């Protein structure tokens, strides 16, 4: 559930980020376009104004050269020039070029006035000398026309200045628009950064909390958890693992998993670890004939259950092991299997053991013997000295029998003062000898002046018809015969 919410949040955040980036891209692209148009327009207007200024300057220069009476600027000395007709032609060409520019109506009227003036100026070849021209200075000729010409030129200069101002205002407005859009983009970017920072803080806080929760859970798990690399080096353990093996966490991180296994199993474990398929599985003590045993720091061996999984992170292979100490389980199992008073197998467990031994003896065609052991006159002891003494006598007998039988034999309390001995791979004759030895030794050693009676039954070859009830019944019949014969003896069952 938490993962679904987390991924939904990340997807939403990614969508918002993409949308904001798209918006900023369009804003930035529009701003770039405005700036490009701004630069282009500015360049065009600058070229036009510069060209117009140059043409006006040339026009004034040519007008000053055409007639000294109209020297609006002192470009030339005040004296007639023989090439005035050429200057007039050049001035008309300049007027034509200025007329090709983008002019206002007032400017065009001023330009037309200059053009009419130039067109009515007589050429140098048509000029004749008159008395008036000889006696009147050139500067006093046609002062009204001179004033009109100067006004026209002033109108052209004013129009040019007006366009400069208009262009400046337009460019100022365009610049303010770009700045405003840039401000919007900056605010949007800042808002996105703040949102991402807040979202990141929330996500990081959630991740830190998840990490803390997982760490707490990791150390709270009662089973030992152990991570190791493919080469066996331990990389992570929980608190239960340190308690199970007796090492500190730092000590374990300098060790390999084979250091936690008895020496006799280490080489086999290395091979199994390298060949492990990666499928999670639980290996139990005794399963497939293998006992999973760990090694405590003190040197004690620990029976274990282990679940192993293999995982990969990039190119690295890791193993995860869940390790369970089964000593408490074995203790509970032992309590369920053992008789509380005598600490030998109870009736149900010894019956199951006898059933398993019958099956094994039949499969491998081996001999099997069963003994029924009983304390003579045990009821008299109980009635005379009390149940506590009777219990002590039963515990003494169980201890005696446990110490006297073979490691392969199994002893269980059948009920009351009766015990059953299951003796694999022993024939009738040796079983009877063993029973007689037990009777004699117990009669000599017990502190309550008691004796034993034992009924013995045996099979050299166990057939398919043999069952638990049959063998127990035969051993019980032999015990009854021993009691009838005077007690304190062992009798071998015979069906004759």
């Amino acid at each position: 559930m938490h993962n679904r919410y987390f991924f939904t949040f990340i997807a939403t955040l990614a969508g918002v980020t993409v949308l904001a980036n798209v918006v900023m891209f369009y804003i930035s692209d529009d701003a770039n376009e405005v700036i490009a148009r701004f630069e282009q327009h500015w360049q065009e207007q600058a070229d036009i104004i510069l060209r117009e200024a140059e043409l006006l300057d040339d026009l004034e220069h040519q007008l000053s050269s055409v007639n000294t009476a109209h020297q609006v600027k002192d470009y030339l000395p005040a004296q007639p020039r023989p090439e005035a007709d050429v200057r007039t032609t050049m001035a008309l060409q300049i007027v034509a070029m200025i007329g090709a520019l983008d002019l206002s109506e007032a400017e065009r009227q001023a330009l037309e006035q200059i053009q009419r003036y130039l067109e009515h100026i007589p050429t140098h070849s048509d000029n004749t000398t008159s008395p008036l021209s000889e006696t009147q200075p050139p500067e006093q000729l046609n002062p009204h026309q001179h004033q009109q010409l100067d006004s026209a030129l002033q109108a052209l200069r004013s129009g040019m200045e007006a366009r400069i101002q208009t262009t400046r205002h337009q460019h100022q407005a365009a610049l303010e628009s770009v700045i405003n859009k840039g401000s919007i983009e900056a605010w949007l970017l800042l808002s996105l950064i703040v949102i991402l920072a807040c979202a990141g803080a929330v996500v990081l806080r959630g991740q830190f909390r998840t990490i803390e929760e997982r760490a707490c859970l990791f150390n709270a798990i009662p089973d030992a958890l152990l991570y190791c690399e493919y080469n066996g080096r331990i990389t992570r353990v929980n608190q239960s693992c340190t308690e199970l093996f007796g090492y500190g966490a730092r000590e374990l991180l300098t060790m390999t998993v084979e250091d936690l296994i008895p020496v006799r199993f280490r080489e086999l474990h290395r091979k199994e670890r390298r060949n492990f398929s990666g499928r999670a599985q639980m290996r139990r003590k005794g399963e497939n004939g293998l006992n999973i045993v760990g090694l405590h720091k003190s040197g004690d061996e620990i029976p274990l259950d282990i679940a192993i999984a293999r995982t990969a992170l990039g190119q690295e292979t890791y193993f995860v092991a869940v390790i369970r100490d089964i000593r408490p389980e074995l203790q509970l199992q032992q309590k369920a299997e053992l008789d509380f008073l005598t600490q030998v197998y109870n009736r149900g467990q010894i019956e199951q053991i006898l059933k398993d031994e019958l099956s094994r003896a039949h499969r491998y065609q081996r001999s099997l013997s069963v003994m029924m052991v009983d304390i003579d006159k045990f009821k008299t002891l109980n009635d005379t000295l009390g149940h506590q003494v009777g219990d002590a006598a039963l515990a003494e007998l169980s201890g005696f029998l446990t110490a006297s039988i073979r490691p392969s034999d199994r002893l269980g309390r059948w009920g009351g003062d009766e015990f059953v001995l299951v003796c694999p791979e022993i024939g009738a004759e040796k079983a009877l000898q063993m029973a007689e030895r037990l009777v004699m030794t117990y009669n000599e050693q017990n502190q309550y002046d008691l004796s034993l009676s034992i009924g013995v039954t045996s099979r050299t070859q166990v057939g398919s018809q043999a069952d638990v009830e049959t063998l127990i019944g035969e051993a019980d019949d032999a015990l009854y015969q021993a009691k009838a014969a005077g007690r304190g003896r062992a009798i071998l069952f015979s069906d004759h």
Side-chain angles (χ1 to χ4, degrees):
M1 184 66 70
H2 293 291
N3 287 337
R4 185 179 66 184
Y5 290 151
F6 174 74
F7 287 121
T8 301
F9 172 76
I10 292 299
T12 304
L13 186 61
V16 171
T17 303
V18 171
L19 180 61
N21 285 329
V22 170
V23 172
M24 285 192 296
F25 171 77
Y26 279 111
I27 292 176
S28 177
D29 185 64
D30 184 61
N32 291 333
E33 186 177 352
V34 170
I35 292 173
R37 290 200 304 268
F38 170 81
E39 292 178 349
Q40 183 179 3
H41 185 263
W42 175 262
Q43 187 64 40
E44 290 175 353
Q45 292 299 316
D47 291 342
I48 292 172
I49 293 171
L50 181 60
R51 179 60 177 163
E52 185 177 359
E54 291 176 349
L55 291 175
L56 278 176
D57 187 67
D58 288 344
L59 178 60
E60 293 177 355
H61 188 277
Q62 297 302 327
L63 287 174
S64 299
S65 301
V66 168
N67 194 327
T68 57
H70 306 297
Q71 289 182 0
V72 295
K73 289 187 180 293
D74 297 329
Y75 290 106
L76 296 172
Q79 58 185 3
R81 297 290 301 270
E83 64 275 13
D85 52 347
V86 178
R87 298 290 183 175
T88 300
T89 303
M90 293 178 62
L92 287 171
Q93 292 176 354
I94 294 173
V95 168
M97 286 188 288
I98 294 176
L101 299 176
D102 187 14
L103 303 178
S104 66
E105 185 63 27
E107 289 176 299
R108 291 198 176 277
Q109 291 178 1
L111 194 62
E112 288 174 359
Q113 187 175 1
I114 295 173
Q115 185 175 3
R116 285 196 301 270
Y117 164 75
L118 291 172
E119 288 175 350
H120 288 84
I121 293 177
T123 62
H124 182 71
S125 59
D126 295 334
N127 287 339
T128 59
T129 304
S130 65
L132 182 62
S133 63
E134 293 177 355
T135 59
Q136 188 175 0
E139 287 79 0
Q140 301 301 321
L141 292 177
N142 202 359
H144 177 68
Q145 193 176 30
H146 171 77
Q147 185 178 2
Q148 288 180 343
L149 182 60
D150 190 52
S151 298
L153 291 172
Q154 183 63 34
L156 289 175
R157 285 193 294 269
S158 298
M160 182 180 65
E161 292 175 358
R163 279 194 299 279
I164 292 175
Q165 288 295 108
T166 301
T167 302
R168 187 179 68 179
H169 289 313
Q170 290 176 348
H171 292 172
Q172 184 68 27
L175 184 60
E176 289 177 357
S177 174
V178 171
I179 292 174
N180 291 334
K181 290 182 178 179
S183 299
I184 294 174
E185 183 178 1
W187 277 108
L188 181 60
L189 180 60
L190 180 60
S191 301
L192 179 61
I193 291 174
V194 172
I195 293 173
L196 291 176
C198 294
V202 172
V203 172
L204 286 177
R205 183 180 179 185
Q207 288 298 311
F208 284 139
R209 181 177 296 176
T210 301
I211 291 172
E212 290 177 357
E213 291 176 353
R214 288 181 178 178
C216 292
L217 181 62
F218 185 73
N219 287 314
I221 294 176
D223 292 336
L225 295 179
L226 182 148
Y227 290 72
C228 72
E229 297 177 348
Y230 183 75
N231 58 11
R233 187 178 69 86
I234 299 172
T235 59
R236 190 182 182 191
V237 295
N238 66 348
Q239 183 66 29
S240 298
C241 188
T242 62
E243 295 173 356
L244 176 62
F245 293 102
Y247 294 96
R250 292 185 178 180
E251 290 181 282
L252 287 171
L253 296 181
T254 63
M255 301 166 63
T256 65
V257 288
E258 279 73 30
D259 295 327
L260 304 178
I261 299 173
V263 177
R264 63 184 183 277
F265 297 132
R266 289 180 181 175
E267 189 59 35
L268 176 62
H269 186 272
R270 287 191 186 93
K271 293 180 180 178
E272 290 187 350
R273 174 169 51 77
R274 292 167 183 166
N275 297 328
F276 184 67
S277 63
R279 182 176 56 88
Q281 60 183 7
M282 176 71 79
R283 293 173 51 195
R284 297 186 61 84
K285 176 178 169 59
E287 185 177 330
N288 299 326
L290 293 175
N291 293 332
I292 309 303
V293 182
L295 184 65
H296 193 270
K297 185 177 182 179
S298 63
D300 296 336
E301 295 187 356
I302 311 168
L304 303 172
D305 278 351
I306 302 180
I308 307 171
R310 179 176 177 176
T311 185
L313 182 60
Q315 300 296 324
E316 298 293 332
T317 300
Y318 291 88
F319 295 98
V320 182
V322 181
I323 306 170
R324 177 174 299 171
D325 182 1
I326 61 173
R327 285 176 295 184
E329 181 181 334
L330 293 178
Q331 291 173 358
L332 291 175
Q333 181 180 355
Q334 189 177 25
K335 289 180 179 180
E337 294 175 352
L338 299 181
D339 178 67
F340 176 76
L341 175 62
T342 60
Q343 291 301 299
V344 296
Y345 292 117
N346 57 28
R347 179 167 179 166
Q349 188 61 28
I350 195 65
E351 193 172 2
Q352 182 61 44
I353 289 173
L354 177 56
K355 183 178 179 180
D356 294 341
E357 290 297 336
L358 272 171
S359 177
R360 187 177 294 107
H362 173 67
R363 185 184 310 117
Y364 299 107
Q365 289 298 297
R366 294 174 180 175
S367 56
L368 176 66
S369 297
V370 178
M371 304 180 189
M372 183 71 76
V373 182
D374 182 75
I375 300 178
D376 296 326
K377 299 181 180 180
F378 179 73
K379 186 177 183 304
T380 302
L381 176 68
N382 249 352
D383 294 342
T384 303
L385 300 179
H387 290 288
Q388 291 183 347
V389 176
D391 292 344
L394 291 174
E396 182 189 52
L397 175 60
S398 66
F400 165 75
L401 293 174
T402 301
S404 301
I405 61 179
R406 303 173 305 168
S408 59
D409 298 334
R410 295 292 181 268
L411 172 64
R413 185 182 179 188
W414 193 253
D417 60 334
E418 291 183 336
F419 292 81
V420 171
L421 265 174
V422 179
C423 305
E425 300 186 20
I426 184 173
E429 183 178 352
K430 289 186 178 181
L432 181 59
Q433 292 175 358
M434 175 181 172
E436 291 174 342
R437 176 176 57 81
L438 291 174
V439 169
M440 182 181 63
T441 304
Y442 179 75
N443 291 346
E444 295 174 350
Q445 293 182 359
N446 80 91
Q447 58 179 332
Y448 299 104
D449 195 22
L450 297 172
S451 62
L452 291 180
S453 292
I454 301 177
V456 182
T457 185
S458 184
R459 294 285 192 279
T460 302
Q461 291 184 344
V462 177
S464 59
Q465 302 300 321
D467 55 20
V468 173
E469 290 78 9
T470 301
L471 267 72
I472 292 295
E474 292 176 357
D476 193 53
D477 289 345
L479 175 62
Y480 179 78
Q481 294 175 17
K483 294 279 188 181
R487 299 184 178 86
R489 65 193 67 207
I491 297 294
L492 178 66
F493 172 79
S494 176
D495 56 356
H496 298 296

